[in-house]
Amino acid sequence: MGFSVDGVEGIGEIEPGADLAAILAAVADLEDGDILVVTSKIVSKAEGRIVEAADREQAITDETVRVVATREYEGGVTRIVENRQGIIGAAAGVDASNAPDGTVLLLPVDPDASARALATGLRALTGKHVGVILSDTLGRPWRDGQTDIAIGAAGVHVFDDLRGQVDAAGKPLMVTMPCVADELAGAGELVKGKSAGVPVAIVRGLGHYVGALDLPGARSIQRPADRDLFRIGADEAYDEGYRAGFEESSAEA
């Protein structure tokens, strides 16, 4: 079993209102079963999700649903937050990289809907049964560096649910459920890069993961709050516990 990942060149700069499906259909030679890994920034540009750079901090605040952790450093404060899309990461996904001068980009309002619209358009224009992953770059707890993950998906099985099957030794698999969407996003990032001007990659050879457009999207990857073991940062947890203990002791007194 094997697959290939190739960058799509010739896309050019994306302007607000651009028809991404038409642009990609014109430059990508698609086949049935292809999965397009699309950098979310070009979707944000097409959807006009652009604000002035001077408003970045306010944009982060506006896009934040819940603060997870903050850390001061020389020159500012890092904010790890949950944003409107349910994604937990730095700065609510507000980013200046690969944005027009003097501006920053917000994530698409509904990345799954954006992916679905793009997949629908590509299938209609090309007649090919393709899937779409929208990717963005995030850090990870406990690990340095960043990797691309799926923030939107359409026409792709985001999980390969192996629970209930057995491994090579015949032992039952109880929790094994690889996140295919994130793996595809990471594979696509290897050929897209951050400075090569190649915002789209085509993964070919994994057509068995391509399916109906109404499959669950990337939002289904987010772990529900009641199963989140790390809902707030360590310092925030300590402060919360300290305050709760202080209030309880004050009430008893």
Side-chain angles (χ1 to χ4, degrees), residues 169-196:
K171 298 177 181 177
L173 300 173
M174 305 299 293
V175 297
T176 305
M177 193 169 67
C179 185
V180 173
D182 282 350
E183 293 174 328
L184 289 166
E189 195 273 336
L190 292 174
V191 301
K192 290 187 297 175
K194 301 303 177 192
S195 59

Side-chain angles (χ1 to χ4, degrees), residues 28-86:
D29 185 17
L30 297 176
E31 298 180 2
D32 282 330
D34 283 350
I35 301 171
L36 290 90
V37 182
V38 180
T39 301
S40 62
K41 286 184 175 60
I42 66 170
V43 177
S44 295
K45 291 178 181 178
E47 294 179 354
R49 297 280 287 162
I50 304 171
V51 298
E52 297 298 322
D55 298 328
R56 182 176 186 269
E57 292 303 315
Q58 184 59 49
I60 295 172
T61 299
D62 292 343
E63 293 298 303
T64 295
V65 172
R66 177 176 63 89
V67 176
V68 176
T70 61
R71 182 64 57 87
E72 293 186 8
Y73 67 97
E74 186 176 352
V77 177
T78 295
R79 287 190 271 174
I80 306 299
V81 304
E82 179 183 348
N83 65 14
R84 296 176 185 274
Q85 295 80 4

Side-chain angles (χ1 to χ4, degrees), residues 8 20-22 24-25 28-38 114-133 153-157 184 200-215:
V8 178
L20 278 182
L24 295 182
D29 185 17
L30 297 176
E31 298 180 2
D32 282 330
D34 283 350
I35 301 171
L36 290 90
V37 182
V38 180
S114 298
R116 193 176 307 113
L118 183 53
T120 300
L122 286 168
R123 290 185 181 193
L125 290 168
T126 66
K128 303 300 182 182
H129 191 62
V130 300
V132 170
I133 295 288
V156 179
H157 292 272
L184 289 166
V200 178
I202 297 174
V203 179
R204 183 164 292 164
L206 297 177
H208 54 285
Y209 290 126
V210 177
L213 292 175
D214 61 355
L215 286 169

